[in-house]
Amino acid sequence: MLNIKQKWLFGLGVVAWALLSLLLLARFEQQRYGVFDPGGQLTQLQLRPYTPDAGAAMLIAVIDPACGCARAARAHLQQLQQQQPGLQLQEMTPAQWREYGPALPATPAVLWYQQHQLRYAGPLAQGPLCSSNTDLLLPLLQGRQRLAGVWLNSETVACRCLS
């Protein structure tokens, strides 16, 4: 049977373990969840027009395979393609994208071109899971939301890996 001192030490150990675990989890999550572009680089990038061979709408997904968000982003993109069958999708790694334009601040990033003009650049969804429930592009693709110009979305809190 434990005496009172042993019970206190055991309780203190459990509390210390719980706090340390929460601290480590929070630190780990901060590495892949947060503001898409905390340094504001995206608004300063000179993203030139990309001229794909495809028709009116082209989505380029820049996904780092080593990023913990890559699997969820790919699943989201598959769902998006099912909802928008005419959408042309091209996936690139960050190194492949740098052949066309400057390095992006984070991945997964999507760039949506409509009639060869950039309309959107930033995360695919907001929130920690890259979920289709928080899709940023579908309302644009379906015409339910209109943009006055190019949306360089750097302030959304999303699942991302900083470059």
Side-chain angles (χ1 to χ4, degrees):
M1 197 80 182
L2 297 175
N3 65 29
I4 194 83
K5 185 176 179 181
Q6 291 172 326
K7 287 180 183 179
W8 273 100
L9 285 175
F10 178 75
L12 187 60
V14 169
V15 169
W17 172 81
L19 289 174
L20 183 60
S21 296
L22 286 173
L23 180 66
L24 290 173
L25 181 62
R27 180 143 172 91
F28 173 74
E29 280 303 309
Q30 283 179 344
Q31 292 176 356
R32 58 172 247 174
Y33 176 68
V35 175
F36 182 75
D37 179 15
Q41 296 172 315
L42 191 58
T43 57
Q44 299 169 10
L45 294 179
Q46 297 298 319
L47 296 172
R48 63 182 180 213
Y50 179 71
T51 53
D53 297 330
M58 176 71 170
L59 190 66
I60 297 174
V62 182
I63 300 175
D64 183 351
C67 179
C69 305
R71 191 180 78 195
R74 285 187 181 113
H76 188 155
L77 288 166
Q78 285 177 341
Q79 210 172 17
L80 194 61
Q81 271 194 304
Q82 290 171 353
Q83 294 170 324
Q84 295 290 303
L87 180 67
Q88 297 293 317
L89 173 66
Q90 182 176 357
E91 184 179 322
M92 296 182 181
T93 65
Q96 290 169 324
W97 168 253
R98 280 192 286 280
E99 294 176 19
Y100 297 99
L104 296 169
T107 63
V110 292
L111 297 101
W112 173 47
Y113 291 87
Q114 189 177 40
Q115 278 120 21
H116 304 288
Q117 295 297 316
L118 180 66
R119 302 293 293 150
Y120 174 86
L124 184 58
Q126 56 189 355
L129 303 175
C130 195
S131 168
S132 59
N133 295 335
T134 58
D135 194 313
L136 294 167
L137 285 176
L138 190 59
L140 298 173
L141 296 171
Q142 292 176 337
R144 292 184 287 135
Q145 183 177 358
R146 303 247 183 242
L147 297 176
V150 178
W151 183 13
L152 299 175
N153 185 0
S154 61
E155 296 176 359
T156 295
V157 176
C159 183
R160 62 29 178 173
C161 294
L162 297 174
S163 299

